[in-house]
Amino acid sequence: MVELLFGNCSLADVDANGSLRFVQDGLIHIQDGRIAFAGRRGERADLTRRLELHDLESRLVTPGLVDCHTHLIYAGDRLGDYLAARDPLDPELHRFQSGGILATVAATNNASRESLVALARGRLAQMADHGVTTVEIKSGYGLSLEGERRLLTIARELSGYQGIEVVTSFLGAHALPEVFASDPSGYIALLVGEVMPALAAEGLIDMVDCFVDPEGFSPQVIAPYLVRAKELGLPIRAHVDQFGAIGGGELATSFGARSIDHLEHLSKAAIGGAHTAGTVAVLLPFASLHKGFPTHPPVTELRAARVPMAVATDLNPGTSPTSSLLLAAYLAVTLYGLRPVEAFAGVTRHGARALGLLDRGTLDQGSRADLVAWEVAHPYELVASIFDQRPRRLVP
Ligand code: NIG
Ligand code: FE
C-alpha cells in the first residue's frame, strides 16, 4: 500500500449542503490514491508518529478542479465572428476566420490528427497548470461518423495527459451539416440510426449532449436523439436556452438530464424539471460575456429550487476561447451573482456531479486524491479574484 501524509496546510471543500468546510492546521492521509483522512491535524497524532510528513508550507489544499463542459478539440479560431459583431467595418476583418460552428467544423475536419492532438495537448497543459484534474471534452466539430469518431478517439487517448482524466460527450447534434441544410430531422435520423449506436458500441461515449436552441435544434427534432440515448443507457446533457427559450430545458429535464448548460433563457418549468430530475445547472459565463448577452441565467431561482450549479469554461473558438476555469468562476460571481461558496462548489463538487462523478470534487474520505495546493490563505481568493496562480499538484 502506498501511503502519503501532507501537513502544515489548510483544507477547503464544500459539503453536501453547500456549506464551506475550511480547516486550519489540516492533515491529509492518502492511501493508494484515495483520501483516507482529511481534517484537523490534532485528531490524528497516530499518523504523524507513524508516517513522514510532507510540509506544504501553509498552502491551501482543495480538490482538483473539474471543468465539466469543454469543446477542447478543434482547429482554427473564430476571431472573425467576434470582430464582425464588434467592428463590422474594420478593413482588417477579412483576415480572420468566421462563419459560426460550421467554420470550425470545416477547419477541424481539414486538420491533421497530429495537429489536433498537439492543439488539444496545449490546452490541457494550460488547464493542468491551473489546477484542473478532470475535464469533459465534447465532439461536435466532426458532424459525420468519421469526424465524430476521430474527435472522441483523440479525447479518449488524451485521458491521463498531464494527470488529467478526460470524460467524453457525444455532441453530434451540435449544428446542421450543409448537406442536411433543409432536413434537420434527416440529420438526426442519421445520428440516431447509425452514428450514436456505432460510437457507443466502440466505447467512445460517456454522455450524450445536444444543442436545443433557436440557433440549434428544436425540441421536436431532437426528441428521438434523446430517446436513443436512453435506449443505449447513455446519460443525457444538453445545451439549452442560450439564445432563446424554445423548451430545451423542459425537454432535457423530462428525459432526466444529468446537466443542462448555458440557461440564459431557462423557464420556471425547466427549473422545476431540474429540481425533480436532480439535474445540475451548468453555468458558462465566458460564453455570455464573449457574446455580449444582456440576459443571464436565473441564478436566484435555481438557488431557491435547490438545483446544484456547476461552472465551466465552455472552451471553444466561437463563444469562449479560454481555458481559465477560475476566471469562469470569478465571472459567475461577478456577472451572474453566484455566491463565492457556490462558485467554489461549481468548479469542484458540482462540476464533478454534472459528470456523474461522485468519487471526486470533495475531500471526503474515500474520494480520489486529486488534490492541489494553492498559495492563498482563503478559498474565496480562488473564485472572487482575478486569479492566475499555478498551484502544486499533490499526487500526480
Ligand atoms: O457551447 N452553443 C453551442 N455551442 C458552443 C459554441 C460552439 C461554437 O461556437 O463553436 C457553446 O457555446
Ligand atoms: Fe458548449
Short mmCIF file of all heavy atoms in Angstrom, two decimals, residues 333-368:
data_model
loop_
_atom_site.label_atom_id
_atom_site.label_comp_id
_atom_site.label_asym_id
_atom_site.label_seq_id
_atom_site.Cartn_x
_atom_site.Cartn_y
_atom_site.Cartn_z
N VAL A 333 -19.44 34.77 -10.32
CA VAL A 333 -19.71 35.60 -9.14
C VAL A 333 -20.03 37.04 -9.58
O VAL A 333 -21.02 37.63 -9.17
CB VAL A 333 -18.48 35.59 -8.19
CG1 VAL A 333 -18.66 36.58 -7.05
CG2 VAL A 333 -18.24 34.17 -7.65
N THR A 334 -19.19 37.57 -10.46
CA THR A 334 -19.28 38.99 -10.82
C THR A 334 -20.46 39.28 -11.75
O THR A 334 -21.18 40.25 -11.57
CB THR A 334 -17.98 39.42 -11.52
OG1 THR A 334 -16.89 39.03 -10.68
CG2 THR A 334 -17.92 40.91 -11.75
N LEU A 335 -20.63 38.41 -12.74
CA LEU A 335 -21.62 38.66 -13.78
C LEU A 335 -22.99 38.09 -13.41
O LEU A 335 -24.02 38.70 -13.66
CB LEU A 335 -21.13 37.96 -15.06
CG LEU A 335 -21.41 38.49 -16.43
CD1 LEU A 335 -20.92 39.91 -16.59
CD2 LEU A 335 -20.71 37.58 -17.46
N TYR A 336 -22.98 36.88 -12.80
CA TYR A 336 -24.24 36.18 -12.55
C TYR A 336 -24.73 36.32 -11.10
O TYR A 336 -25.85 35.93 -10.79
CB TYR A 336 -24.08 34.69 -12.82
CG TYR A 336 -23.93 34.28 -14.27
CD1 TYR A 336 -23.65 32.95 -14.58
CD2 TYR A 336 -24.08 35.18 -15.31
CE1 TYR A 336 -23.53 32.53 -15.90
CE2 TYR A 336 -23.95 34.77 -16.63
CZ TYR A 336 -23.67 33.44 -16.92
OH TYR A 336 -23.55 33.02 -18.22
N GLY A 337 -23.86 36.78 -10.22
CA GLY A 337 -24.28 36.90 -8.83
C GLY A 337 -24.23 35.60 -8.04
O GLY A 337 -24.93 35.44 -7.03
N LEU A 338 -23.39 34.66 -8.47
CA LEU A 338 -23.20 33.46 -7.65
C LEU A 338 -22.50 33.85 -6.35
O LEU A 338 -21.66 34.76 -6.36
CB LEU A 338 -22.32 32.46 -8.41
CG LEU A 338 -22.87 31.05 -8.52
CD1 LEU A 338 -24.17 31.07 -9.32
CD2 LEU A 338 -21.87 30.13 -9.21
N ARG A 339 -22.84 33.19 -5.26
CA ARG A 339 -22.09 33.41 -4.03
C ARG A 339 -20.72 32.74 -4.22
O ARG A 339 -20.62 31.70 -4.89
CB ARG A 339 -22.82 32.80 -2.84
CG ARG A 339 -24.20 33.43 -2.61
CD ARG A 339 -25.05 32.60 -1.67
NE ARG A 339 -24.40 32.43 -0.37
CZ ARG A 339 -24.48 31.34 0.38
NH1 ARG A 339 -25.19 30.30 -0.04
NH2 ARG A 339 -23.87 31.28 1.53
N PRO A 340 -19.68 33.31 -3.60
CA PRO A 340 -18.35 32.69 -3.77
C PRO A 340 -18.33 31.21 -3.39
O PRO A 340 -17.69 30.40 -4.08
CB PRO A 340 -17.46 33.53 -2.85
CG PRO A 340 -18.10 34.89 -2.91
CD PRO A 340 -19.58 34.63 -2.96
N VAL A 341 -19.08 30.84 -2.35
CA VAL A 341 -19.09 29.41 -1.98
C VAL A 341 -19.74 28.58 -3.08
O VAL A 341 -19.32 27.44 -3.33
CB VAL A 341 -19.77 29.19 -0.59
CG1 VAL A 341 -21.26 29.52 -0.65
CG2 VAL A 341 -19.53 27.77 -0.10
N GLU A 342 -20.72 29.14 -3.76
CA GLU A 342 -21.36 28.41 -4.86
C GLU A 342 -20.41 28.27 -6.04
O GLU A 342 -20.38 27.24 -6.72
CB GLU A 342 -22.63 29.14 -5.31
CG GLU A 342 -23.75 29.11 -4.29
CD GLU A 342 -24.92 30.02 -4.65
OE1 GLU A 342 -24.70 31.09 -5.28
OE2 GLU A 342 -26.07 29.69 -4.30
N ALA A 343 -19.64 29.32 -6.30
CA ALA A 343 -18.69 29.25 -7.41
C ALA A 343 -17.60 28.22 -7.11
O ALA A 343 -17.18 27.46 -8.00
CB ALA A 343 -18.07 30.63 -7.65
N PHE A 344 -17.16 28.17 -5.86
CA PHE A 344 -16.15 27.18 -5.47
C PHE A 344 -16.72 25.77 -5.62
O PHE A 344 -16.08 24.87 -6.18
CB PHE A 344 -15.69 27.47 -4.02
CG PHE A 344 -14.64 26.55 -3.50
CD1 PHE A 344 -13.53 26.21 -4.25
CD2 PHE A 344 -14.75 26.03 -2.21
CE1 PHE A 344 -12.54 25.35 -3.75
CE2 PHE A 344 -13.77 25.18 -1.69
CZ PHE A 344 -12.68 24.84 -2.47
N ALA A 345 -17.96 25.58 -5.16
CA ALA A 345 -18.62 24.27 -5.35
C ALA A 345 -18.77 23.97 -6.84
O ALA A 345 -18.65 22.82 -7.28
CB ALA A 345 -20.00 24.27 -4.67
N GLY A 346 -19.02 25.03 -7.62
CA GLY A 346 -19.28 24.86 -9.05
C GLY A 346 -18.11 24.29 -9.83
O GLY A 346 -18.31 23.62 -10.84
N VAL A 347 -16.89 24.55 -9.37
CA VAL A 347 -15.71 24.03 -10.07
C VAL A 347 -15.10 22.83 -9.35
O VAL A 347 -14.04 22.35 -9.74
CB VAL A 347 -14.64 25.13 -10.28
CG1 VAL A 347 -15.19 26.21 -11.22
CG2 VAL A 347 -14.19 25.76 -8.97
N THR A 348 -15.79 22.37 -8.30
CA THR A 348 -15.31 21.18 -7.58
C THR A 348 -16.46 20.16 -7.48
O THR A 348 -16.72 19.43 -8.43
CB THR A 348 -14.76 21.55 -6.19
OG1 THR A 348 -15.74 22.29 -5.43
CG2 THR A 348 -13.48 22.37 -6.31
N ARG A 349 -17.17 20.18 -6.36
CA ARG A 349 -18.23 19.19 -6.11
C ARG A 349 -19.26 19.13 -7.22
O ARG A 349 -19.57 18.05 -7.75
CB ARG A 349 -18.92 19.50 -4.77
CG ARG A 349 -20.17 18.68 -4.51
CD ARG A 349 -20.89 19.11 -3.24
NE ARG A 349 -20.30 18.54 -2.05
CZ ARG A 349 -20.59 17.33 -1.54
NH1 ARG A 349 -21.47 16.55 -2.15
NH2 ARG A 349 -20.02 16.89 -0.44
N HIS A 350 -19.82 20.27 -7.59
CA HIS A 350 -20.92 20.24 -8.55
C HIS A 350 -20.45 20.04 -9.98
O HIS A 350 -21.18 19.47 -10.80
CB HIS A 350 -21.79 21.50 -8.40
CG HIS A 350 -22.52 21.54 -7.10
ND1 HIS A 350 -22.94 22.70 -6.51
CD2 HIS A 350 -22.87 20.54 -6.24
CE1 HIS A 350 -23.53 22.42 -5.35
NE2 HIS A 350 -23.50 21.12 -5.17
N GLY A 351 -19.22 20.47 -10.28
CA GLY A 351 -18.65 20.14 -11.59
C GLY A 351 -18.55 18.64 -11.76
O GLY A 351 -18.90 18.07 -12.80
N ALA A 352 -18.10 17.97 -10.71
CA ALA A 352 -18.00 16.51 -10.75
C ALA A 352 -19.38 15.87 -10.86
O ALA A 352 -19.58 14.92 -11.64
CB ALA A 352 -17.28 16.00 -9.51
N ARG A 353 -20.37 16.41 -10.12
CA ARG A 353 -21.73 15.85 -10.16
C ARG A 353 -22.35 16.00 -11.54
O ARG A 353 -23.13 15.16 -11.99
CB ARG A 353 -22.63 16.50 -9.12
CG ARG A 353 -22.17 16.35 -7.64
CD ARG A 353 -21.88 14.91 -7.27
NE ARG A 353 -21.39 14.75 -5.89
CZ ARG A 353 -20.10 14.75 -5.51
NH1 ARG A 353 -19.14 14.96 -6.40
NH2 ARG A 353 -19.76 14.53 -4.26
N ALA A 354 -22.02 17.10 -12.23
CA ALA A 354 -22.55 17.31 -13.58
C ALA A 354 -22.06 16.20 -14.52
O ALA A 354 -22.68 15.93 -15.55
CB ALA A 354 -22.12 18.67 -14.12
N LEU A 355 -20.94 15.58 -14.17
CA LEU A 355 -20.40 14.48 -14.98
C LEU A 355 -20.77 13.12 -14.40
O LEU A 355 -20.31 12.09 -14.88
CB LEU A 355 -18.87 14.61 -15.07
CG LEU A 355 -18.37 15.93 -15.66
CD1 LEU A 355 -16.84 15.98 -15.64
CD2 LEU A 355 -18.89 16.11 -17.08
N GLY A 356 -21.58 13.13 -13.34
CA GLY A 356 -21.96 11.87 -12.71
C GLY A 356 -20.83 11.25 -11.90
O GLY A 356 -20.89 10.07 -11.57
N LEU A 357 -19.81 12.04 -11.59
CA LEU A 357 -18.65 11.51 -10.87
C LEU A 357 -18.79 11.85 -9.39
O LEU A 357 -18.64 13.00 -8.99
CB LEU A 357 -17.36 12.10 -11.45
CG LEU A 357 -17.14 11.81 -12.94
CD1 LEU A 357 -15.94 12.58 -13.47
CD2 LEU A 357 -16.95 10.31 -13.15
N LEU A 358 -19.05 10.82 -8.60
CA LEU A 358 -19.26 11.04 -7.17
C LEU A 358 -17.99 10.76 -6.38
O LEU A 358 -17.98 10.85 -5.15
CB LEU A 358 -20.40 10.14 -6.66
CG LEU A 358 -21.71 10.29 -7.44
CD1 LEU A 358 -22.79 9.36 -6.88
CD2 LEU A 358 -22.21 11.73 -7.43
N ASP A 359 -16.92 10.40 -7.08
CA ASP A 359 -15.70 9.99 -6.39
C ASP A 359 -14.66 11.11 -6.34
O ASP A 359 -13.49 10.88 -6.08
CB ASP A 359 -15.08 8.77 -7.11
CG ASP A 359 -14.66 9.10 -8.54
OD1 ASP A 359 -15.03 10.18 -9.05
OD2 ASP A 359 -13.96 8.26 -9.14
N ARG A 360 -15.08 12.33 -6.63
CA ARG A 360 -14.11 13.44 -6.66
C ARG A 360 -14.83 14.76 -6.43
O ARG A 360 -16.05 14.82 -6.35
CB ARG A 360 -13.36 13.46 -7.98
CG ARG A 360 -14.24 13.81 -9.17
CD ARG A 360 -13.57 13.47 -10.46
NE ARG A 360 -13.57 12.03 -10.65
CZ ARG A 360 -12.92 11.40 -11.61
NH1 ARG A 360 -12.18 12.07 -12.44
NH2 ARG A 360 -12.99 10.08 -11.73
N GLY A 361 -14.04 15.82 -6.35
CA GLY A 361 -14.63 17.14 -6.16
C GLY A 361 -14.84 17.50 -4.70
O GLY A 361 -15.33 18.58 -4.40
N THR A 362 -14.47 16.59 -3.80
CA THR A 362 -14.54 16.88 -2.36
C THR A 362 -13.33 16.26 -1.67
O THR A 362 -12.57 15.50 -2.29
CB THR A 362 -15.80 16.27 -1.69
OG1 THR A 362 -15.59 14.86 -1.54
CG2 THR A 362 -17.05 16.52 -2.51
N LEU A 363 -13.19 16.58 -0.38
CA LEU A 363 -12.11 15.95 0.41
C LEU A 363 -12.69 14.84 1.28
O LEU A 363 -12.11 14.47 2.30
CB LEU A 363 -11.42 17.02 1.28
CG LEU A 363 -10.79 18.19 0.52
CD1 LEU A 363 -10.15 19.19 1.48
CD2 LEU A 363 -9.75 17.69 -0.49
N ASP A 364 -13.84 14.31 0.90
CA ASP A 364 -14.45 13.23 1.67
C ASP A 364 -13.52 12.02 1.72
O ASP A 364 -12.80 11.73 0.76
CB ASP A 364 -15.76 12.78 1.01
CG ASP A 364 -16.87 13.81 1.17
OD1 ASP A 364 -16.76 14.67 2.07
OD2 ASP A 364 -17.84 13.74 0.39
N GLN A 365 -13.63 11.30 2.82
CA GLN A 365 -12.89 10.04 2.93
C GLN A 365 -13.31 9.11 1.78
O GLN A 365 -14.50 8.99 1.48
CB GLN A 365 -13.21 9.39 4.27
CG GLN A 365 -12.31 8.21 4.54
CD GLN A 365 -12.64 7.56 5.87
OE1 GLN A 365 -13.71 7.80 6.44
NE2 GLN A 365 -11.73 6.76 6.37
N GLY A 366 -12.35 8.51 1.12
CA GLY A 366 -12.63 7.61 0.02
C GLY A 366 -12.59 8.28 -1.35
O GLY A 366 -12.55 7.60 -2.37
N SER A 367 -12.60 9.62 -1.36
CA SER A 367 -12.52 10.32 -2.65
C SER A 367 -11.15 10.13 -3.27
O SER A 367 -10.16 9.89 -2.57
CB SER A 367 -12.74 11.82 -2.46
OG SER A 367 -14.10 12.13 -2.48
N ARG A 368 -11.10 10.30 -4.59
CA ARG A 368 -9.81 10.27 -5.27
C ARG A 368 -8.93 11.41 -4.74
O ARG A 368 -9.40 12.52 -4.53
CB ARG A 368 -9.99 10.49 -6.77
CG ARG A 368 -10.53 9.31 -7.51
CD ARG A 368 -11.06 9.74 -8.84
NE ARG A 368 -10.03 10.43 -9.63
CZ ARG A 368 -9.46 9.92 -10.73
NH1 ARG A 368 -9.82 8.73 -11.17
NH2 ARG A 368 -8.57 10.60 -11.40
#
